[in-house]
């Protein structure tokens, strides 16, 4: 299946400081699930034009398996003015970038989780991160496997590596960043 026909999905709030979607404490526990997802499985290679803006996503406490946002979709996708927070610092990832994905992610802060951005899936992924802050991660700020990222103005406030390349197929271009 080349796609799941999940196109034109919009999660739009007025202001990330006033609009918060919060997972109930202990709702997921250790079960690995996303709070928001732009894909049913792992592949959505259609031109999707999906977006999220003006929202804070909080995965609550005692949800160690939670991923805040699961991204997938080709062409025309963006996230802006989004905060992603783990209530207790735990959780799998702030963002998991799946399948064939091209996203512009700008003006985003991720606080907590094992990894802020995890993109270990496929070579056809190229994500642009701009004006992004990652802090208080447990493993790494960003992990990159068989995918590519262009990053500008990344601020990493961590005691772990800002970026960890996990595969020989990884490619990263970093500009004007504080690691």
């Amino acid at each position: 299946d080349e796609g799941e026909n999940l196109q034109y999905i919009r999660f739009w709030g007025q202001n990330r400081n006033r609009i918060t979607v919060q997972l109930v404490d202990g709702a997921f526990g250790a079960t690995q699930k996303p709070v928001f997802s732009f894909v049913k499985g792992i592949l959505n290679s259609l031109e999707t034009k999906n977006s999220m803006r003006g929202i804070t996503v909080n995965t609550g406490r005692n949800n160690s398996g939670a991923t805040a946002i699961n991204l997938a979709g080709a062409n025309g996708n963006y996230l802006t003015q989004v905060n992603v927070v783990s209530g207790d610092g735990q959780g799998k990832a702030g963002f998991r970038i799946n399948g064939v994905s091209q996203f512009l992610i700008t003006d985003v802060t991720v606080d907590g989780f094992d990894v802020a951005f995890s993109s270990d899936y496929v070579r056809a992924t190229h994500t642009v991160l701009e004006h992004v802050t990652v802090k208080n991660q447990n493993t790494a700020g960003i992990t990159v496997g068989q995918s590519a990222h262009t990053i500008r103005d990344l601020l990493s406030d961590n005691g772990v590596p800002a970026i960890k390349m996990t595969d020989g197929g990884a490619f990263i271009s970093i500009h004007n960043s504080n690691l």
Side-chain angles (χ1 to χ4, degrees):
D1 187 6
E2 283 300 309
E4 299 173 339
N5 295 317
L6 296 177
Q7 298 171 285
Y8 306 104
I9 297 171
R10 307 279 192 266
F11 297 115
W12 290 359
Q14 258 185 344
N15 183 317
R16 67 179 157 197
N17 296 319
R18 294 187 305 194
I19 306 297
T20 299
V21 175
Q22 183 165 343
L23 185 61
V24 172
D25 292 348
F28 288 3
T31 304
Q32 294 187 22
K33 291 169 54 172
V35 177
F36 282 96
S37 187
F38 289 94
V39 62
K40 293 180 207 170
I42 60 168
L43 182 63
N44 193 13
S45 61
L46 297 172
E47 179 180 0
T48 53
K49 297 183 180 173
N50 296 327
S51 62
M52 177 180 274
R53 69 177 182 201
I55 295 175
T56 292
V57 179
N58 187 327
T59 59
R61 303 177 70 75
N62 302 316
N63 291 307
S64 62
T67 292
I69 302 168
N70 195 20
L71 302 176
N75 306 321
N77 303 292
Y78 74 91
L79 285 94
T80 188
Q81 302 169 1
V82 173
N83 291 336
V84 175
V85 179
S86 169
D88 60 4
Q90 302 304 302
K92 294 304 284 183
F95 291 89
R96 181 160 187 248
I97 303 167
N98 281 316
V100 177
S101 294
Q102 291 84 37
F103 270 82
L104 168 62
I105 300 172
T106 183
D107 192 12
V108 170
T109 298
V110 181
D111 188 352
F113 302 94
D114 291 342
V115 177
F117 291 89
S118 173
S119 62
D120 298 328
Y121 183 66
V122 69
R123 289 186 181 146
T125 295
H126 189 114
T127 301
V128 175
L129 302 171
E130 181 180 49
H131 312 303
V132 171
T133 299
V134 296
K135 58 185 180 179
N136 302 315
Q137 278 71 54
N138 302 314
T139 304
I142 300 169
T143 59
V144 181
Q146 294 186 18
S147 58
H149 293 297
T150 299
I151 302 170
R152 186 173 82 87
D153 190 25
L154 170 68
L155 171 61
S156 177
D157 185 7
N158 273 308
V160 297
I163 299 170
K164 185 176 182 182
M165 298 170 79
T166 61
D167 186 273
F171 176 82
I172 300 174
S173 176
I174 303 170
H175 309 273
N176 303 327
S177 295
N178 186 352
L179 310 179

